Amino acid sequence: MEQRSCATLANIHEAAIKEFLEKGFRGASLRQIVKNAGVTTGAFYGYFSSKEALFASVVEPHAAAIMGRFMAAQTDFAELPDAEQPKHMGVESTEFMSWMFEYMYQHPREIKLLLCCAGGTSYEHFVHNMVEVEVDATLQYMDVLRRLGHDVPAVDRELCHIIASGMFNAFFEIVEHDMPYDRAKAYVAQLREFYLAGWLKLMGN
């Protein structure tokens, strides 16, 4: 019985992933998912309360993994003594981006759902939320530099948001366009160099 239940759940997930990837959350048909999974509607509701609950069951483990690792990287940097932070500029963020890149290519369909197909769900603003965290961290680091006596030009929150949003959305283009691994890896390395150099210039370095 347990094996049958696991197989049914796997069939529902597989049918859901295909339907959500093809049509996005809003356009996906729960009736079609149930049909393609080979289960009855009643059986489906034995596992999930709604289409959104089904979507969440697919993407939540990956959203939690990415956001958890992202927040840990931000915290590790912020907790460094002020004098140590300039030497770590870009270190933790590069390590996180490298980890996230590998993670995305280990779970390509689920990550594409999270980043490209989540409109109408609680995950719709996932990237925006990452951007806001990055903006807060950037402004805090600028304050650290000023406390250390660096002449840091004024950069307001709106500009920080535009730059951070551009960075994350550019990074996630590799998912949207199903870029091959080797090409994407080279692309991301160049992207990181570009944005790091830009931030250093804006911060007076």
Side-chain angles (χ1 to χ4, degrees):
M1 180 67 73
E2 185 175 343
Q3 285 183 332
R4 185 182 302 172
S5 178
C6 289
T8 299
L9 184 58
N11 289 340
I12 294 172
H13 269 164
E14 182 62 25
I17 289 171
K18 290 178 178 178
E19 180 76 2
F20 288 137
L21 282 174
E22 180 182 350
K23 301 174 183 175
F25 173 79
R26 286 194 179 96
S29 166
L30 186 55
R31 180 178 297 178
Q32 191 64 47
I33 291 171
V34 169
K35 179 181 177 181
N36 292 344
V39 299
T40 65
T41 301
F44 169 84
Y45 283 114
Y47 291 93
F48 303 104
S49 60
S50 64
K51 185 172 74 169
E52 183 161 5
L54 172 58
F55 187 89
S57 75
V58 175
V59 304
E60 173 56 29
H62 307 288
I66 291 173
M67 189 60 79
R69 189 71 174 252
F70 178 57
M71 294 304 299
Q74 297 287 355
T75 300
D76 288 346
F77 181 81
E79 290 182 348
L80 290 169
D82 285 3
E84 294 293 317
Q85 290 191 20
K87 292 186 291 186
H88 281 255
M89 170 65 174
V91 174
E92 283 77 9
S93 61
T94 297
E95 290 176 352
F96 165 72
M97 288 294 196
S98 297
W99 172 86
M100 184 165 64
F101 175 85
E102 298 296 335
Y103 190 89
M104 291 192 309
Y105 276 84
Q106 292 164 7
H107 309 279
R109 297 190 303 167
E110 292 85 353
I111 299 303
K112 191 165 188 176
L113 287 179
L114 174 63
L115 299 177
C116 305
C117 306
T121 76
S122 59
Y123 301 92
E124 184 172 0
H125 302 295
F126 182 78
V127 177
H128 173 81
N129 293 339
M130 293 184 74
V131 168
E132 285 298 295
V133 172
E134 183 72 16
V135 169
D136 287 340
T138 300
L139 293 173
Q140 289 168 13
Y141 176 59
M142 288 180 177
D143 286 340
V144 168
L145 290 177
R146 293 185 183 105
R147 289 200 297 271
L148 292 172
H150 293 259
D151 184 17
V152 180
V155 181
D156 65 21
R157 185 177 187 88
E158 186 173 9
L159 178 56
C160 284
H161 180 91
I162 290 170
I163 295 171
S165 181
M167 180 185 71
F168 278 106
N169 282 291
F171 184 90
F172 292 137
E173 284 277 317
I174 65 176
V175 175
E176 183 176 352
H177 297 294
D178 301 313
M179 193 176 291
Y181 177 91
D182 289 339
R183 182 181 167 201
K185 193 164 188 177
Y187 167 92
V188 167
Q190 291 178 316
L191 187 66
R192 287 293 303 157
E193 288 182 6
F194 175 83
Y195 274 99
L196 181 58
W199 277 122
L200 288 172
K201 181 68 174 178
L202 278 178
M203 292 177 184
N205 294 314

